[in-house]
Structures are given as C-alpha cells and as structure tokens.
Amino acid sequence: MDSDVVLKISDKELANDLRNLKIDDLEIGQRISFFNCADPEVMAASNQVLTFIITSGSSVALSLFSAWLYDNLKNKNKEDSIKINGVEISGNNNNLKIEIHNHIHSSETNK
C-alpha cells in the first residue's frame, strides 16, 4: 500500500533539491494552488510555501528519503522549518532525526 507524505517548504533551495531527488520507488509531486484574489499581499504570502506530495509503497525508499531530509535540514539555518503532514519540524529540534522518521513513517501506519 502506498504512503503519502505532505511536505510544506518555504526554502526555495531545499525545494529545488527535492525536485531533483532520485530515489527508486519514491514519487515526488508538487501541489499548486491557484487563488482568485486581487490582494497582492495574499498572493505573495501564498507563493512563499511550496507543497510536495511524496508517495511510496516502499519503507526502504521512505527511510532513504527520511535520511536525505534530515541531512538537508540539519545543515540549514536552525530557524528554518518545514511541515510534515501538518506538523512543524525545525532544524533546532534536538530530536530532528527521530521527529522526521516518526512523521514520515506514521503515514504508513495511518493508511
């Protein structure tokens, strides 16, 4: 059974690295939202966060993705954060590796 992980990122460099990530049995898609809004501040804010859907039926692929994400976050600014399945995770978390692993692999057990 495939597992979906929703990842929200505001770091453009991390988003580009994610787009170029190649792991067997891991699909990376990007969700794009369109707004019909005349307020430029709302439009600018909505374009700051990129949403990715990570799909895999392989726990090995998800583990490789978890390791990749951990390595990328620990090397970033400590205040940078992402959301994994709606839960905010920041680089200054002492248990960063465990948090990433738990939130990514919880999508397997919640199906």
Side-chain angles (χ1 to χ4, degrees):
M1 181 178 293
D2 286 349
S3 296
D4 289 344
V5 176
V6 178
L7 200 62
K8 292 186 180 250
I9 303 172
S10 58
D11 182 322
K12 305 290 188 214
E13 183 181 338
L14 182 60
N16 285 332
D17 290 347
L18 179 58
R19 284 185 195 103
N20 295 319
L21 181 65
K22 303 288 186 237
I23 295 176
D24 288 341
D25 298 322
L26 191 77
E27 292 180 31
I28 301 168
Q30 186 172 354
R31 182 181 296 159
I32 299 173
S33 299
F34 294 98
F35 296 95
N36 186 9
C37 179
D39 186 342
E41 289 182 24
V42 171
M43 293 298 291
S46 69
N47 290 328
Q48 295 300 314
V49 177
L50 304 169
T51 302
F52 291 90
I53 310 298
I54 314 302
T55 305
S56 181
S58 164
S59 60
V60 172
L62 288 174
S63 291
L64 290 171
F65 174 68
S66 293
W68 175 87
L69 188 58
Y70 168 75
D71 288 340
N72 276 275
L73 279 182
K74 75 174 182 165
N75 293 324
K76 296 282 181 188
N77 183 341
K78 296 276 187 209
E79 279 70 46
D80 285 347
S81 68
I82 62 167
K83 282 190 176 181
I84 301 174
N85 296 332
V87 178
E88 190 165 343
I89 310 258
S90 67
N92 64 3
N93 186 332
N94 291 334
N95 297 317
L96 181 63
K97 188 174 232 169
I98 294 167
E99 288 289 326
I100 290 171
H101 176 82
N102 288 345
H103 289 294
I104 287 177
H105 287 280
S106 71
S107 62
E108 287 181 299
T109 57
N110 290 338
K111 293 267 177 183

